[in-house]
Structure formats: C-alpha cells, structure tokens
C-alpha cells in the first residue's frame, strides 16, 4: 500500500496543523486546523482538495478552521465521539477500539483524556497525531483531568512502536527542552537533542515529527522512572504517577 504523504501547516503563532494526502484514494485530510487561510494556501500549492477534517480535541486553536473549511470544500469533520457537543461541525464521532477508515488505511483511535476529557490521538501508517496530549519533550496541561488520568494516557502512547512518528499540536520544543534539562542535566540523549532543537529553531525549522522512541529517552513526562529525574525532585521512592504529577506541577510554574 502506498504510504501517506504528510505536510506541516504552521498556524497562528505556534500551532501545527497537518495535511495528510492519500494519492491512491484521492483523499486529503487536515488535522487540527486552527484557522482556514494557511490550510487553503497549503492545499492550493499542492493542488489538493480537502476531503476530511480531523480534530484531536475541542480547543479553538485546533478547531477554528472547521466550519469555514467545511463550507469551502464540503469536507467531513471527524473528531472524538465522546466530545461531539464541543467539536464544531462534527459529522463522524470516533472511539477507541473502533478503527476508522481513511481510504485504504486503517486509523487507530486512542482515547487519551486529561488535557481535555475527550482528547484522542489518531494513529495511521506509523504516524501518531497527538494534539496537546504528548508534545516533543513535553505534555499538555491538565485542564480536564488529573495526573493519574494523564499518566494513563501517556502510558498508552508510550506503548506505540518506537519508530512511530509523533506529530504534536504546538512548537513548544525549545522551552520544553529547557525545562527537561533542569531535571536531567546529565541525560546525554537529552543534551544532544536539545542542541539539535536549538539549531533547528535558529533556522526557523519545525522540530516535528519526533518518534516515540526519542520521546521515551528525552521527555521528562515519560520518564518518571529515571533515577536522575527522581533525585532532582527528591522523590526517589515515590510512585510513577506521583513523580509525573510533580513534574507537571513544576512545568506549570517554570
Ligand atoms: Zn488544547
Ligand atoms: Zn493547542
């Protein structure tokens, strides 16, 4: 099966929407369109017609383009079935355990609540669209959930194959990396990655996608079992979820 072509569409100040094109089926989706204009320009530049709008969660910086794009292209809006009421223009609600089809591709839905109650991740063709749940070296704020809920959600994502590409909702990587280094200043993988991220950002390049394998080595929110991180927090004997919760609290105040 031909693989999907994925394009990054920067929106607003630091959001990323993603174009997914299935050439064989003639389908094009946009993940989390913050606003319509950059998406329209990206479609025109490639000569694609939008057929689907996929939303990871209801926040306006991920759904602001739904209605204008649906009106312009007649695209089908697909989002979390458990949050139907808050997804503008939703046509199809999806749930974990019931894969959705995009052309000939099977799309796995993972329910990953905590940033919002209805947050989902779309997994297809070795790529995961994680919205504001898992960021490069970071995780989303707990607006509608507690540390246990987010730790369960992140643990679900951590079980994806290591080479799964992670496409997240925002370019927060530089500040996430600065925070990560405060907890694991001797993590060699983290130091190397941070240097690469600094170089990329200095050139204005995006730092996505990463992979779940890289995240597991460098993302403090996936590393509550790291001895160095635990020592930095003074929590050598605490549970993983408590270490995760403290890490999240420190990031809120960073
Ligand atoms: Zn959000
Ligand atoms: Zn967001």
């Amino acid at each position: 099966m031909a693989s999907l072509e994925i394009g990054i569409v920067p929106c607003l100040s630091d959001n990323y929407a993603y174009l997914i094109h299935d050439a064989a089926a003639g389908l094009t989706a946009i993940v989390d369109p913050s606003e319509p204009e950059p998406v329209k320009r990206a479609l025109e530049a490639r000569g694609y017609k939008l057929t689907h709008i996929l939303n990871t969660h209801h926040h306006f910086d991920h759904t602001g383009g739904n209605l204008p794009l649906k009106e312009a292209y007649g695209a089908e809006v697909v989002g979390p079935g458990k949050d139907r009421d808050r997804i503008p223009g939703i046509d199809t609600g999806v749930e974990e355990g019931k894969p959705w089809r995009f052309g000939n591709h099977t799309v796995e839905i993972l329910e990953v609540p905590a940033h919002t109650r209805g947050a989902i991740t779309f997994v297809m063709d070795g790529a995961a669209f994680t919205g504001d749940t898992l960021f490069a070296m970071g995780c989303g704020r707990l607006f509608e959930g507690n540390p246990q809920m987010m730790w369960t959600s992140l643990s679900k994502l951590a079980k994806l194959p290591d080479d799964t590409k992670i496409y997240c909702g925002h370019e927060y990587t530089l500040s996430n990396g600065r925070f990560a280094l405060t907890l694991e200043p001797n993590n060699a993988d983290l130091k190397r990655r941070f240097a690469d991220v600094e170089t990329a950002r200095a050139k204005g390049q995006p730092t996505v996608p990463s992979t779940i394998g890289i995240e597991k080595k460098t993302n403090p929110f996936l590393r509550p079992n790291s001895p160095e991180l635990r020592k930095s927090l003074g929590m050598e004997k605490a549970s993983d979820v408590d270490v995760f919760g403290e890490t999240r609290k420190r990031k809120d105040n960073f």
Side-chain angles (χ1 to χ4, degrees):
M1 196 189 309
S3 56
L4 297 166
E5 173 195 320
I6 297 173
I8 301 174
V9 184
C11 292
L12 305 176
S13 61
D14 55 28
N15 277 76
Y16 288 135
Y18 298 103
L19 271 187
I20 308 173
H21 183 64
D22 181 337
L27 299 176
T28 304
I30 187 79
V31 179
D32 285 356
S34 318
E35 49 180 345
E37 290 310 323
V39 179
K40 286 185 178 171
R41 285 196 297 271
L43 289 163
E44 277 159 24
R46 292 165 171 86
Y48 298 161
K49 180 184 174 293
L50 191 68
T51 55
H52 295 83
I53 297 166
L54 312 183
N55 296 129
T56 61
H57 66 295
H58 77 273
H59 285 157
F60 192 69
D61 61 312
H62 298 255
T63 59
N66 279 22
L67 295 179
L69 290 170
K70 182 175 179 173
E71 184 169 319
Y73 298 95
E76 176 184 347
V77 178
V78 180
K82 291 189 175 152
D83 228 348
R84 285 196 79 99
D85 296 351
R86 300 196 288 180
I87 303 289
I90 191 167
D91 297 297
T92 305
V94 290
E95 286 173 34
E96 184 166 310
K98 293 183 188 159
W100 178 72
R101 302 282 299 175
F102 179 64
N104 293 319
H105 296 263
T106 300
V107 181
E108 211 69 53
I109 309 299
L110 297 178
E111 291 178 346
V112 285
H115 177 68
T116 67
R117 284 192 306 277
I120 57 173
T121 286
F122 296 91
V123 184
M124 62 187 99
D125 208 27
F129 298 89
T130 58
D132 290 355
T133 296
L134 178 67
F135 292 123
M137 291 193 272
C139 84
R141 286 178 184 263
L142 311 184
F143 289 126
E144 301 178 10
N146 57 30
Q148 176 67 64
M149 199 186 283
M150 183 57 108
W151 177 239
T152 303
S153 294
L154 292 176
S155 300
K156 212 182 265 186
L157 296 174
K159 288 197 191 83
L160 292 167
D162 276 353
D163 61 356
T164 306
K165 291 195 170 79
I166 301 297
Y167 291 89
C168 61
H170 291 265
E171 180 60 64
Y172 291 159
T173 317
L174 203 51
S175 94
N176 286 344
R178 277 194 198 105
F179 171 72
L181 280 168
T182 66
L183 299 180
E184 290 191 289
N186 300 308
N187 178 337
D189 293 309
L190 175 57
K191 287 197 280 188
R192 214 166 17 239
R193 184 178 185 189
F194 186 73
D196 291 345
V197 165
E198 280 190 311
T199 305
R201 293 310 296 152
K203 293 183 199 158
Q205 292 167 351
T207 60
V208 289
S210 69
T211 67
I212 198 69
I214 293 170
E215 294 307 323
K216 286 196 292 195
K217 288 180 181 167
T218 58
N219 187 326
F221 298 100
L222 296 179
R223 296 177 57 74
N225 54 4
S226 150
E228 186 185 13
L229 183 140
R230 284 173 167 259
K231 194 155 183 277
S232 295
L233 296 173
M235 298 179 79
E236 273 102 331
K237 296 204 159 59
S239 67
D240 282 351
V241 65
D242 285 349
V243 172
F244 167 77
E246 180 62 22
T247 306
R248 184 59 260 178
K249 202 189 286 173
R250 298 234 183 162
K251 178 66 166 63
D252 288 342
N253 301 315
F254 181 63

